[in-house]
Amino acid sequence: MRDEKRVVTLNGFEQRLMVAGLTDFRNDALRDGKPTEDVDDLILK
């Protein structure tokens, strides 16, 4: 895997939409018993 970083600039609506989607994904992973550490890190950023 490449160690390439990308910077995404979001407005307020896009940020809320992204966090809501990540939260739904995290909840599905929890329900399935999968690890959520990576998603948790993204939500906190």
Side-chain angles (χ1 to χ4, degrees), residues 2-41:
R2 298 186 306 204
D3 290 335
E4 185 176 313
K5 289 188 178 186
R6 301 206 182 233
V7 177
V8 179
T9 303
L10 305 173
N11 64 30
F13 172 75
E14 293 167 333
Q15 182 180 1
R16 287 188 300 276
L17 186 63
M18 182 187 68
V19 170
L22 286 170
T23 302
D24 288 344
F25 182 76
R26 179 184 179 276
N27 290 339
D28 290 343
L30 283 171
R31 198 171 308 121
D32 295 339
K34 296 179 181 176
T36 61
E37 293 83 17
D38 293 335
V39 179
D40 294 338
D41 291 342

